[in-house]
Amino acid sequence: MSYAPSIHTLTIPSATRYLRRVRKFVTRHAQQAKLTETHISALILAVDEACANVIEHAYQQDPNNELTIAMTIESTHVVVEIRDHGLPFNRKDYQRPNVVELSRKRRSGGLGVDIMRRMMDKVEYLAHENMNEVRLTKFLHQSE
Amino acid sequence: MSNFSVAFRDFDIATILTVYGELDAHTAPELESAIKKCVNEGKIYLIVNGHGLDYISSAGLGVFMAYIEEIRALNGDIKICALKPKVFNVFDLLGFPRIYHIVKTEEEALSLFNQGIQPV
């Protein structure tokens, strides 16, 4: 597989109805770069979860904000950066969830970050001045 | 416009909820409403048929987690069938088969209800 590195960006309002647009954006560029179906599915799910978290937690469902998705595709890896200006993610709150426990407690949330971590090779949270960034990295192993 | 829908159908003692489209943070409340409606009507033997489901994210999975205890407390259950492999993989990855019956067909799901079998 060989192709030139490419960078694509998308900015959406912070509302869940735009998540479908995000998934289409990721799909389109990943397909153009001829990534495998496995890699494309993983990227779609991880980016969707990251954006849903921003909308729900960083922006508290307030649609009068925006988030930006920047996707860089190189021959060996893909990096997707999701940037927002909302509340920062509190990493100390994160614990790997247990579906049995969550079901017992009738909780509907708590799986998104786990999905991102399982789908990606790296999930990094970067705090800039007035901006949060989640950086997702997926290495493109040929076997997948 | 929503790209998700639910159709209801009776099947012996069970109610089938056939889901179509994409289940994400935007559309998950529609599945939640559908399950809530069933429970309010006393329908507690639910089979979610996912043959038309193209995508699920954590918000969709969360709907199952939020209602299973309530329905089991009423001696009912939610069983899931006919998932496409890539959708099943998401359920599987998160460990759902440990506590939910996920089978191939509506008939298998119904048979589990008729035998009174609950997941371990």
Side-chain angles (χ1 to χ4, degrees):
Chain A
M1 199 192 313
S2 71
Y3 44 81
S6 57
I7 302 171
H8 312 278
T9 59
L10 172 73
T11 297
I12 58 161
S14 58
T16 54
R17 66 196 164 97
Y18 295 100
L19 290 173
R20 192 180 185 203
R21 188 184 294 178
V22 172
R23 296 195 296 271
K24 284 185 171 175
F25 163 82
V26 172
T27 305
R28 186 170 68 248
H29 294 299
Q31 283 178 342
Q32 278 172 2
K34 297 190 168 32
L35 303 195
T36 64
E37 282 302 315
T38 306
H39 286 142
I40 294 172
S41 296
L43 281 164
I44 291 169
L45 196 48
V47 175
D48 181 321
E49 297 292 353
C51 293
N53 274 349
V54 168
I55 293 164
E56 185 180 353
H57 300 294
Y59 286 136
Q60 309 273 303
Q61 306 276 9
D62 178 354
N64 299 311
N65 295 290
E66 288 183 334
L67 54 151
T68 297
I69 300 102
M71 184 174 177
T72 305
I73 306 176
E74 303 208 32
S75 59
T76 53
H77 62 282
V78 178
V79 176
V80 185
E81 292 149 328
I82 295 103
R83 300 177 191 126
D84 68 80
H85 300 277
L87 301 170
F89 178 74
N90 187 349
R91 298 179 65 177
K92 286 181 186 158
D93 286 348
Y94 178 75
Q95 287 184 313
R96 172 153 270 188
N98 175 318
V99 170
V100 177
E101 279 300 308
L102 291 172
S103 296
R104 199 168 289 147
K105 292 175 181 168
R106 306 179 186 200
R107 287 268 311 275
S108 63
L111 295 178
V113 174
D114 190 37
I115 288 180
M116 283 159 55
R117 287 169 187 255
R118 288 172 187 269
M119 293 290 141
M120 295 290 106
D121 293 304
K122 276 200 280 186
V123 178
E124 299 162 283
Y125 295 91
L126 309 167
H128 306 283
E129 197 175 344
N130 298 325
M131 187 179 83
N132 310 305
E133 181 177 303
V134 183
R135 183 179 294 167
L136 309 173
T137 304
K138 182 75 178 172
F139 296 111
L140 304 175
H141 308 294
Q142 297 298 315
S143 58
E144 289 179 41
Chain B
M1 191 184 71
S2 173
N3 52 319
F4 176 79
S5 64
V6 187
F8 299 89
R9 173 164 53 87
D10 290 332
F11 182 47
D12 198 288
I13 61 164
T15 302
I16 311 271
L17 286 77
T18 307
V19 291
Y20 300 93
E22 298 179 335
L23 199 43
D24 64 4
H26 187 58
T27 58
E30 293 181 48
L31 177 62
E32 188 173 357
S33 300
I35 292 176
K36 220 184 269 183
K37 180 176 182 289
C38 289
V39 175
N40 288 343
E41 291 172 0
K43 295 172 178 171
I44 53 166
Y45 304 114
L46 305 181
I47 299 172
V48 174
N49 183 324
H51 80 267
L53 190 64
D54 297 315
Y55 177 79
I56 191 162
S57 71
S58 67
L61 298 173
V63 178
F64 293 95
M65 296 196 304
Y67 284 92
I68 197 74
E69 279 292 309
E70 180 182 345
I71 290 174
R72 286 184 183 162
L74 298 167
N75 291 319
D77 198 16
I78 303 174
K79 303 193 190 294
I80 302 162
C81 73
L83 295 176
K84 291 179 179 175
K86 74 173 184 182
V87 174
F88 172 77
N89 286 345
V90 182
F91 278 92
D92 192 35
L93 186 76
L94 278 297
F96 275 68
R98 281 187 293 152
I99 48 167
Y100 296 81
H101 277 138
I102 303 179
V103 296
K104 289 205 173 351
T105 65
E106 293 178 355
E107 288 74 16
E108 281 176 73
L110 181 68
S111 164
L112 291 167
F113 274 127
N114 283 328
Q115 294 171 61
I117 298 173
Q118 291 283 23
V120 180

